[in-house]
Amino acid sequence: MRDVPSPAMRVRRHGSFQLDLPPVEAFKLFTAAGERLWVPGWSPTLLGALPQHPGLVFTTGHGPEHTVWTVLDSDPATGRLRYSRVTPGSRAGIVTVRVTPAADGSHVAVDYDLTALGEDGEAALDAYSLDAFAEMMEAWRRLIVAMLAERRADLLTLLV
């Protein structure tokens, strides 16, 4: 007798926003090290050397939930970043960020494609409703704008 696999819960979301930064500078804000500048509590443990490159692994999290990230793409020339992320026992998927030129700076497009790895993952994916994801994108934009208001002059030197 064969086990019939049950369909796993999968969530795909897309969002975008504009930044008043040239793409080469905006790109840096979505690297493992760059997110430290604007994401409260973001403190990845890098398991390799910078600058960020495909294959670099880093971990995030505290308490019972830890996530293992692997850089799949990190190309400043095309503005594309892609990460595999696995939160054991919860969820796994791909996060893609594309930074492209826009009239007043950069357009940032973000895609999340996550699959639940069980009941805990299904509960975690409930937080990625359409409205919640749109709010997350707006929160990212606000956090970056606030950081830029304080540290824009330092941005190039902070992210070597």
Side-chain angles (χ1 to χ4, degrees), residues 58-154:
F58 61 96
T59 62
T60 59
H62 54 279
E65 187 170 282
H66 290 272
T67 300
V68 178
W69 300 78
T70 303
V71 178
L72 302 176
D73 291 317
S74 186
D75 186 356
T78 62
R80 180 179 158 118
L81 296 127
R82 213 164 50 106
Y83 301 96
S84 165
R85 59 163 291 162
V86 179
T87 305
S90 179
R91 59 204 178 276
I94 304 290
V95 176
T96 304
V97 178
R98 288 176 311 282
V99 180
T100 55
D104 294 328
S106 298
H107 177 80
V108 179
V110 180
D111 293 298
Y112 271 54
D113 185 349
L114 300 172
T115 299
L117 301 177
E119 289 181 18
D120 288 345
E122 289 180 8
L125 292 184
D126 285 342
Y128 290 91
S129 70
L130 290 173
D131 288 341
F133 196 79
E135 289 173 17
M136 183 174 85
M137 291 295 98
E138 177 56 20
W140 285 19
R141 188 194 66 74
R142 281 193 320 267
L143 287 165
I144 292 169
V145 167
M147 180 276 300
L148 290 173
E150 293 178 20
R151 305 180 80 173
R152 186 171 189 157
D154 299 331

Side-chain angles (χ1 to χ4, degrees), residues 5 17 38 46 53 56 97 122 129:
F17 53 94
W38 60 273
L46 300 172
H53 58 279
L56 175 69
V97 178
E122 289 180 8
S129 70

Side-chain angles (χ1 to χ4, degrees), residues 6-82:
S6 63
M9 180 179 179
R10 184 175 183 191
V11 172
R12 293 184 214 170
R13 296 292 179 253
H14 173 79
S16 63
F17 53 94
Q18 302 290 119
L19 289 176
D20 182 21
L21 270 179
V24 69
E25 291 179 38
F27 176 89
K28 295 174 185 180
L29 295 175
F30 300 98
T31 64
E35 289 195 20
R36 286 181 177 143
L37 295 173
W38 60 273
V39 178
W42 180 262
S43 183
T45 300
L46 300 172
L47 304 175
L50 294 176
Q52 181 169 296
H53 58 279
L56 175 69
V57 174
F58 61 96
T59 62
T60 59
H62 54 279
E65 187 170 282
H66 290 272
T67 300
V68 178
W69 300 78
T70 303
V71 178
L72 302 176
D73 291 317
S74 186
D75 186 356
T78 62
R80 180 179 158 118
L81 296 127
R82 213 164 50 106

